[in-house]
Amino acid sequence: MHLAYPAVLSVLLFCIGVYGVLARRNAILVLMSVELMLNAVNLNLVAFDVWLRDALHSGQALTLFTIAIAAAEIGIGLAIVLMVYRNRGTSDIDRLRDTAEPPDGRPDAPDLTGAEAGPGTTAPATQKAEATA
């Protein structure tokens, strides 16, 4: 068996996973993209294990550990996404920025540092620029 075939397939899977992590906004699709990247690594581990004819089959053993870690990661990740969806009503990653504490540490203080500032309010950088003008 040529090593190039599984290696090229693994690179394609990993690139699709990276694109999914960087381009998607839905948390579930991001988790699926991370799983694609882990499966690309698993494919490489098994392909190199077969190609090197390792007597201990260490590539396959590492693949089993990776599968176990991926199963735990997806279980915890989906539980977190479901709880966020129940509390917020969305699983959009861009809208989950509201979960951070405000800069001064008070939970009831409005956060005026970003684009989410309400009408009639300006961000502190804009206020500083207007004060100097």
Side-chain angles (χ1 to χ4, degrees):
M1 176 176 84
H2 293 286
L3 186 61
Y5 300 130
V8 168
L9 180 62
S10 176
V11 166
L12 289 175
L13 281 175
F14 195 83
C15 289
I16 291 170
V18 167
Y19 173 75
V21 166
L22 295 177
R24 299 294 176 186
R25 300 292 179 236
N26 190 346
I28 295 175
L29 292 178
V30 170
L31 285 173
M32 289 174 58
S33 298
V34 170
E35 290 296 320
L36 269 178
M37 291 190 294
L38 287 172
N39 285 331
V41 171
N42 287 340
L43 181 61
N44 261 340
L45 285 171
V46 171
F48 275 98
D49 183 52
V50 169
W51 185 64
L52 293 173
R53 292 182 175 86
D54 187 18
L56 297 175
H57 298 293
S58 57
Q60 293 178 17
L62 284 174
T63 299
L64 288 175
F65 284 120
T66 307
I67 290 171
I69 290 170
E73 174 256 333
I74 200 70
I76 292 172
L78 279 177
I80 291 171
V81 168
L82 285 174
M83 288 305 298
V84 167
Y85 182 77
R86 285 182 186 171
N87 291 333
R88 301 275 177 184
T90 184
S91 63
D92 188 11
I93 293 175
D94 290 337
R95 294 186 185 177
L96 297 180
R97 200 172 133 216
D98 302 346
T99 59
E101 282 189 30
D104 62 356
R106 293 186 330 205
D108 58 342
D111 185 16
L112 301 176
T113 59
E116 283 86 17
T121 60
T122 56
T126 309
Q127 289 173 351
K128 191 182 292 183
E130 289 173 357
T132 58

